[in-house]
Amino acid sequence: MSNNISLTASMRSNLLNLQNIAGQVDLTQNRLSTGLKVNSAIDNPSSYYTAVSLNNRASDLSALLDSMAQGIQTIKAATEGLEAGAKLLEQASATATQALETTIPAKSWFEQQEGVAAVVSTKEELLAAIDSGRKGDIVIYGQIDMGNTVITLKEGQNLTGIGTYGIADSERGKFSALNFDITGVTSVGMITASGNISDLSIHAKGEGSSRAVNLIFRNNQKTSALYENLDLYMESVASKNDGSLISGVGGDKEAIIVRGVNNFYNNDVRGYGKLIFACDLKAEAGTFINAGSSGSSFWETTVEFEDSSINVKSINYDFLNARVTCNGTTQINGYKNIGGFLVLNDQSRIDNAGAIYNNKLTINSAEVSLHINDDILLRITGSEQSKASVTAVAGSKISLAGQTYQTKDNIDDYVLAGDVAKQETPPQYQKVEGETYTQPDLSWLDELATPQTYQKKDDDKQYG
């Protein structure tokens, strides 16, 4: 008896369909559970490896996105830190500036500093300090009105302001100032001194007297002195006052060392006021001098400038019978002169100058710049003794009324002299075609001419 089951063709077909459906159900369930259309390369090699590649790329992009997010957070944290640091620095700067400008220590602090002879805030205290004869710095604390009382400092005494000890003063005149009334004064000097004078505003105004009144009188001193950061101003309506801000009458031969930012101005109705008279001056590197006078600025004075800036605006002559030497990168704006000597070395320059009038000019460097507003270099008066001369190295240039001239060879003391007035440019200077001079921007000189705020100094006298 046979146990075989016979299936009809239709039944066999239906069974196969059921098997296929069951396989498809299994495949669909597998896809739903795994989320993958293809599970292995056997199912579909092309789709499988394409999916693997895309998955790897997605993974890389996801990692990169995470790194970028972390970097952004790091940058945000750094930015917030920098902003906080900047605000802190601004607060510190504001605090420091306020401290420099407003924090003035008590007189007792200055009295404890080395080298201080006295700290004074009244005329009586100043006179008593001088009379004591004690050597050292007499510190002007505040503003003192001296009236018409003149003072004579004894040997070894210096007159200083609080800036000497590193104290910043943003209001010049409020502290460290001396005011004189020169009405009726018969003395030759409001201040007679042999020592140093620094960080002071010294003003003298009044009707003057029949004698020439000098603001600072050196009185035949044979020792050098340091003048630093000074505002000197004198004004007189007297008909016979032609005094000076600084005078060395009597044979002053030791140099006054000038340093820092200095403003000098002297005005009198007759136009004879002088700034510096009969002194030897040496300006240290970095010195700025703003000079203005109704008369002449430097009169019968020997001056040596080293890497300095000088702004002169005198009514008559900036330099009168003066010996002027410019070294380094010294720059002078304005040079009206008569008589004397002018020596230009290194890379020194003079702008807005007048012709060399009865003056000996020496140019020792081809890098010197000399710019004269006139169209003539040399001028002389009608006197038989008058003469003007030039000595210059080969290649040196000058500018006359904007036109540049240059010499190919050395000029050895080319002299223009005679018994009648003459004017001439040495023929060795040939016109440089196509090269003209353009006046530079010198506004920074006027900016320096404003009252300065002294900064704290890096020394053992520094306050704070």
Side-chain angles (χ1 to χ4, degrees), residues 376-390:
I376 294 296
L377 179 61
L378 301 177
R379 296 180 186 271
I380 61 172
T381 64
S383 171
E384 292 184 2
Q385 287 74 35
S386 297
K387 66 179 181 178
S389 66
V390 174

Side-chain angles (χ1 to χ4, degrees), residues 12-26:
R12 189 179 298 278
S13 176
N14 291 335
L15 182 60
L16 290 173
N17 288 335
L18 288 174
Q19 290 176 341
N20 290 335
I21 291 172
Q24 292 176 358
V25 169
D26 292 338

